[in-house]
Amino acid sequence: MTNFKTTVITLAAGLLAASALKAQNTPNDSIQEGRRSNQNVMLNASSATVPRTISLGIPSSGSAIFEDGLPVSFYLGFFPGHWSWHNGLNTESMSLSTLDESALRVGIIGYFPSTTSKVTADRLSGGANYSVNIYGQHQLDLNVGAPLGHGWGFNLNTYQNFDRSSNHLDMSYLTERIQFYKAALSKTFAEGRGRASLTYNYMSTMTVSDNNGPFIFVGDGSVRPFEDFDLGHDQYLPNLTGYHYIDPKDGQTKSRNMTDDGLTRSHMATFNLTYRFNNGNELDFRSRLKTIHTDVSNLMLTSISKVGATDGYTYTDGTPFAGNVQGRLYSNYDTTDSDWMNTAELRGKNEHHDWFVAADAWFDHTSQSTFTGNFAHEAKKDPKQLYYNGQDYWVFNTGSNYFNGNETKLAIYARDQWKPTQRLTLTGGLRLEYMNVTGKAANNVGDATNNSRTPNWSLLTPGVVKNRISENWLNTAATFTAYYRLTPGFALQADALATYRRPEITEYGTAMSPVTDVKSNYMFRAGINYRNSWIDAQSLLTYLVQKNDFVNSLWTHTLTKAVGGYPEGYQETVYIPSFYNIDAFGWTTDVVLTPFRGFSFHGLINLRAPRYRDYKFEPVFSDGYSETYDFSDKKVTGISSVEIELEPSYTIDKWRIWASARYYSRQYINRTNTLYFNPRWETFGGVDYNMSRAVSFGVSVINFLNQKGASAGIQAASLATDASKFQNYLTSGTYIRPFTVEFSTRVRF
């Protein structure tokens, strides 16, 4: 690994040094982010329809998707934006937000996709995209737009996705079914200086996917197959039909069909008004109404246990079972959300200043009740469901959530890019946000324990009360960049960003009240930029800090006595909240090369060292066992210290050949850093052929190295300090999409 790092660093230094030999006048002196495109954000090794998250080296505080200048979701970490958004023929353009844009617009530091909707066309035009892969997924995207005269125009779009996934589940023929419909109407006025548009989209998503499977964790970071199970191709979920649960709102035992879960429906209407004044200043007003209802289940893996015929597990017909049992914790999130977001922005530009000032008025009402339960099945290919002590589902609502409330965000923010000299550019921004949170939640206040989630918990459990929430806070964000041009090609850059946030209403749903201390994030960067006619490079040293982070994690302990319906020796897995800080030093080099006509290459090298700070907590399990754990100075789990992206593309005549390869170094499994997964590659590639201006074809390959990308929490090792106990250890977890070939046809008119 040391030699690999040395080679990477040498290559990066060589690229920067070579560029100096061809220095030319830079065509544009404006400040450039390290990522200057959409960064192939839709090439996601884990999903065909969800944008990937671009890691900064610390756990994300949320993942936004912007459309037409507004975030698609009011709660960035709670309602995924892809439940209401599709990037396809309805999209006019797509980019990534810069770090200061995300900090100023939503108070989170990150790279987020940002799209602009098609709302009209200069002439009657449209298109169709159709794709199919080798596992039976079909995607159809249709779009048409035209002018209506007198400045009016329209655009219509529909996207349909039928996905069987690669591990064809018996319980549902389709593992994902997406229906997306969008209509837009626009009016251009004032001799082209103004435009108003109204878009509406409806989206329905049904998901019952399960990308899980068993494998052997060897102990040296590698994995090997368990028996004949083929990760990515075999199913690891029994053919479940009906199941029962305890409704946390009324305490009643109810039944439902598993295939009815996983349904999300959203309605979203957006009004945009843009007007350019005679002095060149521009006014943008954006307003969005949205409602969404989700009824989504999550079938989480807990642990695999080896049991005997007398340990209480049986098949559904009562036959005793002996062998490996996979435990599952299922949770269903019944959530309703309605919001109204309004933003007004005024922009201007002259010889020395490029500025904008904006104001937000965002309002939201949301509610959620979550029920949970446990079930089990064989740990094998095409497993059968197992009963435990005669029960098909048991120990309900120990992870139940409940809240109902409102949130208001009123903000003003501004940014100015000031150029006092031809060489120096200074950019500063500030966001001030008043946040009001009101509502009710069933959580413990202070040292109270009356709202703790005991088995079969509900709002009618004796002692449970819905506590009132009434909070008023000021969230802030600030950004600053200094950019100094040394020569026509070289420039120095320094950045500082800070965000300060308080908990949202969605963080009140668990038994534990959220800590209301400020959650702060800081980023400091400094380095060089170099650009000429064939290279655009940036190399920055980075320091990231995240304070007062909260996580509600699964922790596993072997019971020392029988308790809660479980026997002595059972591996109990429970939710336990904890708090910590994180910091990370890093070095990022980002290069775009266009050395000759038709060829381009994007390369990214990210070296970082994220570590936990002030991470000490004392979990208490059902049998009363407790011990203090201190993870301070340990490396952050699930984040690689080395990340590399290599993306070449070559176009000749009617052909385009492209590839994208991403390398992720070792990732630690547990916070004790005793277990880890070895490095992996995520690979994509393809060939496109433009038969004519109207018709083109494409073949793409996902995971052409056919890596499994196996990942697991290994709950039994969550607090382990002795790695030897987990050599050749049977566990289960997720995997990336297997080797997949996709064929596409595109038609334009």
Side-chain angles (χ1 to χ4, degrees):
M1 188 65 192
T2 301
N3 291 335
F4 182 76
K5 289 183 180 179
T6 302
T7 302
V8 167
I9 295 171
T10 303
L11 285 173
L15 285 171
L16 291 175
S19 66
L21 300 178
K22 289 193 64 175
Q24 300 179 13
N25 289 337
T26 177
N28 187 341
D29 292 333
S30 62
I31 295 175
Q32 296 290 312
E33 281 281 1
R35 298 174 182 273
R36 286 169 286 273
S37 67
N38 63 31
Q39 202 66 21
N40 283 330
V41 72
M42 294 306 296
L43 288 182
N44 188 344
S46 299
S47 172
T49 56
V50 179
R52 71 185 179 103
T53 299
I54 297 177
S55 173
L56 293 178
I58 58 176
S60 173
S61 298
S63 182
I65 296 176
F66 290 93
E67 184 175 67
D68 299 328
L70 288 169
V72 175
S73 176
F74 189 97
Y75 299 106
L76 305 185
F78 193 71
F79 286 100
H82 63 268
W83 284 351
S84 309
W85 169 90
H86 168 66
N87 175 50
L89 291 180
N90 73 97
T91 299
E92 184 71 37
S93 62
M94 181 178 186
S95 62
L96 285 182
S97 65
T98 61
L99 295 180
D100 64 337
E101 281 178 337
S102 61
L104 294 175
R105 295 189 185 281
V106 292
I108 293 179
I109 301 172
Y111 293 107
F112 304 135
S114 178
T115 59
T116 301
S117 299
K118 289 181 180 177
V119 295
T120 188
D122 295 332
R123 58 179 178 81
L124 177 63
S125 60
N129 286 354
Y130 172 71
S131 66
V132 59
N133 72 21
I134 58 176
Y135 301 113
Q137 179 187 27
H138 296 262
Q139 298 181 81
L140 178 63
D141 197 355
L142 302 173
N143 192 83
V144 63
L148 296 173
H150 304 288
W152 290 91
F154 77 93
N155 194 270
L156 300 174
N157 176 258
T158 182
Y159 166 74
Q160 306 291 321
N161 179 42
F162 306 82
D163 192 0
R164 293 204 63 198
S165 76
S166 59
N167 62 343
H168 299 174
L169 300 180
D170 289 336
M171 64 178 291
S172 178
Y173 179 77
L174 293 176
T175 58
E176 184 175 67
R177 174 72 174 99
I178 296 176
Q179 301 179 67
F180 178 87
Y181 305 93
K182 189 172 186 177
L185 183 67
S186 67
K187 166 67 174 176
T188 301
F189 58 94
E191 300 179 340
R193 291 187 292 113
R195 186 167 77 175
S197 65
L198 179 65
T199 62
Y200 165 78
N201 69 263
Y202 166 79
M203 188 167 182
S204 172
T205 303
M206 185 281 297
T207 304
V208 290
S209 60
D210 184 66
N211 63 327
N212 295 301
F215 50 86
I216 301 295
F217 179 75
V218 177
D220 59 357
S222 64
V223 301
R224 58 181 172 84
F226 170 62
E227 296 179 347
D228 62 343
F229 195 96
D230 187 0
L231 285 175
H233 296 93
D234 293 336
Q235 66 172 329
Y236 196 53
L237 196 63
N239 187 11
L240 302 172
T241 53
Y243 71 99
H244 59 273
Y245 64 98
I246 293 179
D247 192 325
K249 291 180 288 188
D250 59 21
Q252 299 297 310
T253 300
K254 301 178 180 180
S255 299
R256 64 188 299 159
N257 194 318
M258 186 74 75
T259 56
D260 291 336
D261 295 345
L263 186 62
T264 299
R265 293 188 177 97
S266 71
H267 301 264
M268 189 167 72
T270 305
F271 174 74
N272 275 273
L273 173 65
T274 301
Y275 185 80
R276 187 177 71 255
F277 296 97
N278 291 330
N279 63 2
N281 293 346
E282 290 189 2
L283 174 67
D284 279 352
F285 175 71
R286 306 179 283 269
S287 182
R288 173 169 292 154
L289 282 170
K290 177 185 172 185
T291 63
I292 183 171
H293 178 256
T294 68
D295 197 0
V296 176
S297 286
N298 188 4
L299 306 178
M300 294 174 287
L301 304 172
T302 53
S303 60
I304 295 178
S305 304
K306 190 171 185 63
V307 302
T310 60
D311 288 332
Y313 287 93
T314 66
Y315 289 105
T316 56
D317 62 1
T319 303
F321 172 80
N324 294 306
V325 174
Q326 173 67 68
R328 295 252 190 172
L329 174 68
Y330 69 86
S331 58
N332 177 277
Y333 303 88
D334 185 358
T335 313
T336 300
D337 182 74
S338 301
D339 58 62
W340 182 28
M341 292 188 285
N342 305 276
T343 295
E345 181 177 317
L346 181 65
R347 297 191 301 270
K349 186 175 183 179
N350 57 36
E351 182 180 358
H352 296 288
H353 293 273
D354 186 349
W355 56 270
F356 73 79
V357 60
D360 294 338
W362 296 357
F363 311 95
D364 181 85
H365 172 76
T366 187
S367 63
Q368 181 188 91
S369 65
T370 303
F371 61 78
T372 66
N374 291 265
F375 72 98
H377 58 76
E378 299 172 294
K380 59 180 291 188
K381 174 182 176 180
D382 300 326
K384 292 182 173 60
Q385 186 178 4
L386 299 174
Y387 282 26
Y388 179 64
N389 290 337
Q391 297 179 303
D392 49 356
Y393 301 93
W394 57 88
V395 189
F396 301 102
N397 291 350
T398 54
S400 183
N401 290 358
Y402 178 83
F403 63 82
N404 187 322
N406 304 287
E407 191 164 316
T408 298
K409 293 181 179 179
L410 304 176
I412 56 173
Y413 53 99
R415 186 183 70 177
D416 182 29
Q417 188 176 100
W418 176 39
K419 199 168 185 178
T421 71
Q422 288 298 314
R423 292 181 179 271
L424 179 63
T425 303
L426 302 175
T427 305
L430 179 66
R431 177 182 177 90
L432 301 175
E433 176 187 276
Y434 164 73
M435 179 179 177
N436 171 256
V437 178
T438 61
K440 292 184 178 181
N443 49 26
N444 292 318
V445 176
D447 295 328
T449 59
N450 57 299
N451 282 339
S452 297
R453 306 306 195 245
T454 55
N456 303 332
W457 180 91
S458 78
L459 294 176
L460 300 184
T461 299
V464 170
V465 296
K466 291 185 285 186
N467 296 311
R468 289 194 59 82
I469 306 167
S470 181
E471 305 286 2
N472 294 279
W473 288 310
L474 179 66
N475 296 329
T476 59
T479 67
F480 176 78
T481 296
Y483 188 86
Y484 187 75
R485 186 163 57 90
L486 294 170
T487 71
F490 274 108
L492 301 179
Q493 179 177 338
D495 302 276
L497 301 94
T499 62
Y500 304 89
R501 302 174 65 233
R502 301 279 188 161
E504 299 173 331
I505 183 67
T506 60
E507 298 176 54
Y508 284 84
T510 64
M512 183 173 183
S513 297
V515 173
T516 57
D517 293 343
V518 173
K519 180 178 179 178
S520 53
N521 286 67
Y522 306 95
M523 172 181 271
F524 305 96
R525 303 190 303 179
I528 62 172
N529 289 264
Y530 179 79
R531 296 197 298 167
N532 63 23
S533 62
W534 68 282
I535 186 169
D536 188 351
Q538 183 183 68
S539 188
L540 299 172
L541 295 174
T542 304
Y543 178 59
L544 287 161
V545 179
Q546 186 166 290
K547 292 190 173 182
N548 289 328
D549 209 349
F550 165 84
V551 64
N552 202 15
S553 300
L554 289 169
W555 302 92
T556 297
H557 162 68
T558 302
L559 295 179
T560 59
K561 60 182 179 181
V563 63
Y566 292 113
E568 178 183 349
Y570 184 84
Q571 290 186 335
E572 180 190 34
T573 300
V574 298
Y575 275 111
I576 298 175
S578 54
F579 304 88
Y580 53 84
N581 300 331
I582 290 176
D583 65 26
F585 287 94
W587 174 49
T588 300
T589 296
D590 201 348
V591 181
V592 177
L593 304 174
T594 53
F596 53 88
R597 184 177 180 180
F599 178 79
S600 66
F601 173 81
H602 170 253
L604 172 72
I605 304 169
N606 224 331
L607 306 179
R608 55 211 178 188
R611 293 185 180 273
Y612 294 110
R613 306 297 184 192
D614 305 316
Y615 194 178
K616 183 183 293 186
F617 79 115
E618 186 176 354
V620 179
F621 294 91
S622 298
D623 59 358
Y625 176 82
S626 178
E627 184 177 343
T628 299
Y629 293 90
D630 189 351
F631 302 132
S632 301
D633 298 328
K634 297 295 185 180
K635 292 184 177 180
V636 177
T637 59
I639 294 180
S640 297
S641 296
V642 179
E643 179 183 337
I644 300 172
E645 296 183 13
L646 306 172
E647 297 177 320
S649 172
Y650 181 59
T651 301
I652 180 171
D653 194 22
K654 296 182 178 182
W655 297 87
R656 175 176 176 261
I657 304 171
W658 62 273
S660 178
R662 305 172 193 148
Y663 171 84
Y664 299 92
S665 67
R666 172 186 296 184
Q667 294 185 355
Y668 285 95
I669 298 172
N670 54 0
R671 290 170 176 83
T672 57
N673 287 180
T674 55
L675 303 179
Y676 57 87
F677 283 113
N678 285 338
R680 75 173 192 273
W681 284 91
E682 295 179 356
T683 51
F684 309 82
V687 178
D688 298 325
Y689 173 68
N690 293 315
M691 187 177 73
S692 66
R693 296 183 62 182
V695 180
S696 60
F697 303 95
V699 178
S700 59
V701 179
I702 296 96
N703 194 3
F704 57 73
L705 294 181
N706 198 25
Q707 295 209 333
K708 298 300 183 181
S711 177
I714 307 187
Q715 299 301 331
S718 58
L719 300 172
T721 56
D722 183 3
S724 64
K725 297 179 180 179
F726 297 93
Q727 292 183 358
N728 297 315
Y729 182 80
L730 174 60
T731 187
S732 55
T734 62
Y735 49 82
I736 61 176
R737 287 192 283 167
F739 175 85
T740 303
V741 181
E742 182 177 274
F743 305 91
S744 62
T745 300
R746 296 177 288 276
V747 179
R748 303 289 186 273
F749 65 86

